[in-house]
Amino acid sequence: MVLRTFGWSFGITAAGLIAAGLLWGWEGFGIVLILSILEISLSFDNAVVNATVLKRMNPYWQKIFLTVGVLIAVFGMRLIFPLLVVGLTAHLNPATVIDLALNEGKEYAGHTYGDYLELANPAIAAFGGIFLLMIFLDFILEEKDFNWLSWLERPLEKVGKLDAFSSVIALVTIAVAANVFAGDNAETVLLAGLLGLATYLAVNGLSSVFEHRLEEDAEAEEEAEKSGKTLIQVGGRAAFFLFLYLEVLDASFSFDGVVGAFAITQNIFMIMLGLGIGAMYIRSLTVYLVRKGTLDDYVYLEHGAHYAIGVLAVILLVGIKHHVPELVTGLVGVGFIAAAFASSVLRNKREQALEGGS
């Protein structure tokens, strides 16, 4: 099970590290290894949240997530996306951006490629922060089968009955971030935050609509089978929008990793290779959690991951003005997951003891 799920990750790690050593020597080997560990630590909670979505998709789309999704994550988010962001925010033509990216340390108008990416941080952080905040809010405000921190979650579930309350909170957060953290970038932060909110509402809304239709068709199919009729399902479209949702979610998680990577090196190929290896492990871990049914066995893991997402959203927004070390971001995510796992284990033991006593 482990080898089947993580086999590609192990193989890509070995090939990637060997390539790094051959191309850049021991220094390159070490940098790529560090970047891989950085990506895994920053995105561990991403795997848990991905698993809650992926388990609603059929095996075909799970394979798409592991193949096409990985290509999008590695080449799209870790290589092409930073180039686009630098070009759009710095108003540079594609040729200049690519030239700066390929020539480490080269400057244009007094700035390197890494400098330009850092200057784009307010827009990146606002978009990603609001998108992740919406994921956290929609989870914490909805009614759940299990409550982890009941003293907090039950009152919030009552508040969550108000329509569009999460969107109201997000809009207020955008306004606060623009006024408190943005400084001269207030307009950029407002626009990026609104785009992050709009993207979440669009992708999540479409996936919910088609998923609901899929559930209705499944019920209708049961009735049709009884009467000898057949019914065409729309699972493909539902899974497609869930796939888009996962890709945007991955993008939001990767923002801080991509920007933070430039504190280690400005070699875009090292960054793509190191973060790509980490992204592959996160995807393999996601599939492993689904196939093992881990989220069903440890019911608070989903809670811990969403709390970590909420904190990460705040960190991204605060990071518009104040740098938050990547170590802190990684430890927060791992800490919530570990606490949720421990709580789940204790809950399972209590349940077993009660069953044994009866």
Side-chain angles (χ1 to χ4, degrees), residues 200-222:
Y200 175 83
L201 293 175
V203 178
N204 187 57
L206 286 170
S207 63
S208 297
V209 167
F210 283 110
E211 187 180 9
H212 179 67
R213 288 182 60 183
L214 178 60
E215 292 174 355
E216 291 181 342
D217 286 348
E219 294 175 359
E221 184 178 18
E222 293 180 2

Side-chain angles (χ1 to χ4, degrees), residues 47-195:
V48 179
V49 177
N50 282 351
T52 66
V53 179
L54 195 66
K55 68 181 182 181
R56 292 160 20 208
M57 299 164 68
N58 61 34
Y60 171 78
W61 279 98
Q62 290 181 12
K63 291 179 180 179
I64 292 294
F65 176 71
L66 265 180
T67 51
V68 177
V70 166
L71 293 177
I72 294 174
V74 175
F75 294 101
M77 284 309 305
R78 274 73 180 180
L79 180 63
I80 298 175
F81 175 78
L83 295 172
L84 291 175
V85 169
V86 168
L88 291 173
T89 57
H91 306 291
L92 300 176
N93 63 65
T96 301
V97 176
I98 294 173
D99 183 45
L100 289 173
L102 294 177
N103 296 282
E104 186 176 355
K106 185 174 182 177
E107 295 184 356
Y108 179 83
H111 296 292
T112 64
Y113 177 78
D115 294 335
Y116 280 117
L117 189 61
E118 184 66 29
L119 291 172
N121 180 64
I124 295 173
F127 181 96
I130 294 301
F131 188 90
L132 293 179
L133 179 65
M134 284 297 296
I135 293 173
F136 168 71
L137 289 174
D138 276 355
F139 174 81
I140 201 68
L141 294 175
E142 70 175 0
E143 292 187 5
K144 296 172 281 295
D145 295 331
F146 303 96
N147 284 311
W148 183 28
L149 305 179
S150 300
W151 57 272
L152 176 63
E153 294 173 12
R154 285 175 181 168
L156 288 176
E157 287 177 359
K158 295 179 180 179
V159 176
K161 293 180 180 179
L162 298 173
D163 290 339
F165 190 66
S166 59
S167 297
V168 173
I169 296 177
L171 288 171
V172 173
T173 302
I174 293 170
V176 171
N179 282 279
V180 176
F181 301 119
D184 296 335
N185 296 303
E187 184 178 343
T188 298
V189 169
L190 280 172
L191 178 60
L194 290 174
L195 287 174

